[in-house]
Amino acid sequence: MSDSNRISPLLLVDKYIQGTLTDPQAALLLNEVKRNPQLLRFLKRNLIAHAWLEEKFRARLAAVELLDSSPAPATTSASKPVIDRIIPPTHSDDFTHALNADRETKPIVCPITYHPEEPSFWRRLFGVGRETSTAKKRSRFLLAVTHPMTRMALIIVGAIVTGLVVWHVIASSLKNTQLRPELLASAQVLELIDVEYVEGQTTLRRGQLINAGNIAIDSGLVKLRFKNQAELVLEGPADLSIRDELTVFCNRGRASVHVPKSTHGFTLATPFAEVVDRGTRFFAEVGDKGIDVHTIEGAIEFKTSNAVETLLAGMSSAFDGLNMRPPRNNFQEDYYNSSRFESHLKSYVARQKEEKQKAETLQNTTTNVLVRFDTANRQKETIINSAPGREADSPLTIRSCGKTEGFIHGTEAIDFKTGDSAAFFELPGEYETLTLTSTMKLDAWNEQGCVIFSSEDFPKQPGSFLWQIQNSGKIALFVADGAGKSELITSQRCLSTRDLGGWFTLKIIINGQNNSVSFFIDNKFVSRKKWDTPLPLTIGRGSLGNASGAKLNHSRYFSGAIDTFTIIDGSKDK
């Protein structure tokens, strides 16, 4: 491989700026900038920085013009772009086209000619020359890069600029990592089946991301998937601590672990011994007096303080804190296996669907429901409004939204992943009191908040409003006051990074009868705040998952999924 092929694109950019590119290197850089728009923009910004430096030097040396008041007549040696002076001529036209093809920054090249007179003392010292632009028919001074001190200054400034760019990229990456916690999470909660928690234990949510922490349950099943694709099913009563993507500590409970062949070294530690996988499926039961281990597939290492045993498929062993039971072939189907989990899951999902149907039936007994969208009923890019008597009105039109698994296992939800994602519906009229409820999964914070719902006329139309989740973990409501501004009403902090990736239900009651706004999460009251300037609420054209206004807002879209969305007219409850 030639030297040019081993040089990184960033180093090629440095050589370009310094004018030291060889012909093969110029060809390589040209291919890179054509293929990588980000590298092209990086190159242009460096050239702009050097042009800025040139202007600063030229301003300080303006007095040189007095020394050259009678320059020699200009002769046109070439009518080429300025980049011809620093790359091999064979590639100049291609570079000119590539640089000017990108419209993000302004063109930075122009035809020039030089006065060939003998350089003065000031030119020799400072590297200053006179140029004439054939494009604009005017003469000006140009900072050349022939003087060693000037070249050194440019190299230093170039290094500083490059360092600042690298620092900015790293800082942005760290910021994005904080906004997208899946980059740090060790595991994700896949399923929760009939879970009862130990007192004081934080409730888990399906889909929730976990970096590290403790899971303590009295009963039920919790299924986890780790970053390395290992899966663990915990059955209560159990106490498990996640340390990282390769290590968990089980103080008590029954755990079934499946580790793919591509991953090795996953460790289940206990107070008595360690179980280390070698690409396998195994079961362990940890009690007060010891640990019992069974290998279902593959092989494991069973490590105690004084012995290590390799257990192959179908083999089991145990340790009581003093003695290890010799390995034996006595695997029993009674021990935890995948089919048992699937049967529990099937029964649980059936109960979930039944409870959901009962809730919808109860709502159908009233005429207060204005809008009800169940994203499991998606038909291509439309969801029918299932509110009683309004099936033909206000359908939800989906734009640039994908599909993902819904709140109930096996169902679908609409996925909002980009600033182009949104869903629209029409709801005319004015309302004194409204209740909005939505089941959702938030995957990441957006810098300006994640919008759940927005009136398109917000904030111009009095009574239009916007409902969003703030990065602080508070639920926020903005209500337009009619003067082009809005009143902000926020809940107490009720969400954190721990909730990202998991399903929850938010409800907000905007009550014009008692001038208040109430906030709920998973049917639990969070807080109630005063509404200072109550006025009739309007929706008109509304959007889910984005602050639309005149156009979609790419910095305030909902980064996650929405399963159901309901609006109820509380004005009829007076």
Side-chain angles (χ1 to χ4, degrees):
M1 182 181 292
S2 66
D3 291 340
S4 61
N5 289 333
R6 291 196 295 266
I7 296 178
S8 71
L10 292 182
L11 184 56
L12 288 175
V13 169
D14 278 344
K15 287 181 171 289
Y16 180 104
I17 299 300
Q18 298 167 24
T20 59
L21 277 178
T22 64
D23 201 87
Q25 290 168 352
L28 181 60
L29 178 58
L30 179 60
N31 289 333
E32 287 291 330
V33 298
K34 286 182 177 179
R35 184 181 62 84
N36 188 343
Q38 291 182 344
L39 180 65
L40 174 59
R41 290 166 187 159
F42 177 78
L43 170 59
K44 293 183 71 173
R45 288 169 183 146
N46 269 271
L47 289 176
I48 290 170
H50 282 74
W52 172 84
L53 179 66
E54 171 189 323
E55 292 292 337
K56 292 295 182 183
F57 270 83
R58 193 183 304 121
R60 295 181 62 183
L61 300 172
V64 176
E65 188 170 5
L66 297 176
L67 302 176
D68 296 312
S69 58
S70 301
T75 59
T76 303
S77 58
S79 187
K80 294 288 185 178
V82 67
I83 57 172
D84 280 355
R85 296 184 293 110
I86 53 178
I87 66 167
T90 53
H91 296 89
S92 61
D93 291 336
D94 289 334
F95 267 96
T96 303
H97 176 76
L99 286 168
N100 288 309
D102 176 43
R103 300 301 181 186
E104 183 181 91
T105 54
K106 296 180 180 180
I108 58 171
V109 296
C110 63
I112 62 169
T113 58
Y114 290 95
H115 288 283
E117 72 274 14
E118 180 68 21
S120 68
F121 167 77
W122 298 104
R123 289 198 184 94
R124 290 195 301 271
L125 180 61
F126 294 105
V128 177
R130 178 178 295 281
E131 72 174 18
T132 300
S133 170
T134 59
K136 295 186 178 181
K137 302 296 183 183
R138 61 185 178 86
S139 179
R140 64 171 184 158
F141 281 84
L142 173 70
L143 175 68
V145 289
T146 56
H147 193 278
M149 293 183 64
T150 307
R151 292 179 71 98
M152 181 59 68
L154 289 175
I155 292 172
I156 293 173
V157 172
I160 293 173
V161 171
T162 302
L164 290 174
V165 171
V166 171
W167 174 84
H168 175 73
V169 170
I170 293 174
S172 298
S173 176
L174 290 175
K175 190 173 186 179
N176 290 334
T177 298
Q178 292 174 349
L179 292 177
R180 304 204 65 87
E182 69 271 20
L183 302 176
L184 296 174
S186 298
Q188 183 178 28
V189 179
L190 288 187
E191 298 293 347
L192 297 165
I193 302 176
D194 296 328
V195 176
E196 296 291 337
Y197 296 94
V198 172
E199 185 177 356
Q201 169 67 39
T202 303
T203 302
L204 298 173
R205 296 190 172 102
R206 190 168 69 85
Q208 179 180 323
L209 300 169
I210 302 175
N211 184 23
N214 195 64
I215 299 174
I217 58 175
D218 278 332
S219 61
L221 298 170
V222 178
K223 185 174 184 179
L224 305 171
R225 175 181 291 157
F226 289 80
K227 198 172 185 178
N228 54 26
Q229 300 305 304
E231 292 185 356
L232 182 149
V233 176
L234 183 69
E235 184 176 3
D239 188 346
L240 182 81
S241 177
I242 299 175
R243 294 180 175 174
D244 54 48
E245 63 181 286
L246 281 173
T247 309
V248 297
F249 184 89
C250 184
N251 195 52
R252 64 167 181 155
R254 295 157 63 93
S256 177
V257 181
H258 178 210
V259 185
K261 294 181 180 180
S262 58
T263 300
H264 294 281
F266 186 88
T267 301
L268 175 72
T270 74
F272 306 98
E274 288 186 352
V275 184
V276 183
D277 94 279
R278 292 292 176 257
T280 185
R281 188 191 301 265
F282 67 90
F283 168 84
E285 183 172 7
V286 183
D288 295 334
K289 297 182 179 180
I291 177 174
D292 200 358
V293 179
H294 293 252
T295 306
I296 302 172
E297 297 175 4
I300 62 171
E301 289 183 1
F302 187 34
K303 298 182 177 181
T304 68
S305 58
N306 53 17
V308 178
E309 286 286 352
T310 299
L311 304 180
L312 303 179
M315 299 179 68
S316 69
S317 183
F319 182 69
D320 61 7
L322 295 175
N323 301 303
M324 178 185 288
R325 188 182 69 201
R328 57 190 182 188
N329 293 306
N330 68 335
F331 174 74
Q332 301 176 24
E333 286 294 331
D334 293 340
Y335 285 101
Y336 194 85
N337 56 52
S338 59
S339 61
R340 180 182 173 191
F341 175 80
E342 294 300 329
S343 64
H344 278 277
L345 178 61
K346 185 177 180 180
S347 174
Y348 179 69
V349 169
R351 294 200 306 273
Q352 276 188 309
K353 291 181 177 179
E354 183 179 353
E355 290 173 3
K356 182 178 180 181
Q357 185 61 46
K358 287 181 180 179
E360 291 180 354
T361 301
L362 181 62
Q363 284 187 351
N364 288 343
T365 61
T366 72
T367 58
N368 291 31
V369 183
L370 302 174
V371 164
R372 183 169 64 215
F373 297 120
D374 185 346
T375 59
N377 298 328
R378 177 172 179 170
Q379 299 175 354
K380 294 184 178 180
E381 299 306 307
T382 303
I383 297 176
I384 302 301
N385 181 8
S386 58
R390 295 177 176 267
E391 291 80 4
D393 302 330
S394 308
L396 187 71
T397 303
I398 301 169
R399 170 175 168 175
S400 301
C401 293
K403 296 180 181 180
T404 188
E405 187 172 65
F407 172 66
I408 297 178
H409 181 83
T411 63
E412 288 185 351
I414 54 177
D415 200 18
F416 300 84
K417 285 298 185 186
T418 70
D420 293 323
S421 301
F424 305 93
F425 65 96
E426 298 273 354
L427 187 62
E430 294 185 346
Y431 306 91
E432 185 181 17
T433 296
L434 289 176
T435 298
L436 286 78
T437 305
S438 183
T439 300
M440 64 193 70
K441 174 171 67 74
L442 186 63
D443 291 332
W445 309 112
N446 282 341
E447 293 185 39
Q448 296 187 29
C450 290
V451 172
I452 305 167
F453 168 82
S454 171
S455 304
E456 187 174 271
D457 293 331
F458 175 84
K460 297 178 182 179
Q461 174 66 33
S464 60
F465 58 94
L466 181 147
W467 181 26
Q468 74 172 23
I469 301 172
Q470 296 183 318
N471 292 344
S472 61
K474 297 179 179 181
I475 312 304
L477 177 72
F478 297 82
V479 184
D481 60 5
K485 298 182 180 180
S486 61
E487 180 182 350
L488 171 61
I489 309 165
T490 61
S491 72
Q492 295 179 355
R493 187 172 185 267
C494 57
L495 293 170
S496 68
T497 54
R498 181 180 175 87
D499 298 301
L500 296 177
W503 287 97
F504 53 86
T505 299
L506 293 183
K507 180 168 72 173
I508 184 171
I509 301 176
I510 314 170
N511 195 325
Q513 299 172 23
N514 62 11
N515 303 349
S516 68
V517 177
S518 302
F519 301 89
F520 301 80
I521 182 169
D522 291 334
N523 292 320
K524 296 179 180 178
F525 175 75
V526 174
S527 61
R528 180 177 292 112
K529 294 294 180 67
K530 183 181 179 182
W531 182 12
D532 291 331
T533 56
L535 68 170
L537 298 165
T538 64
I539 293 176
R541 179 176 165 88
S543 66
L544 288 184
N546 210 307
S548 56
K551 62 180 181 179
L552 298 182
N553 191 316
H554 286 223
S555 61
R556 299 181 71 176
Y557 69 93
F558 187 86
S559 183
I562 292 180
D563 186 288
T564 59
F565 180 80
T566 304
I567 300 179
I568 298 176
D569 179 9
S571 306
K572 298 182 180 181
D573 295 331
K574 291 190 297 184

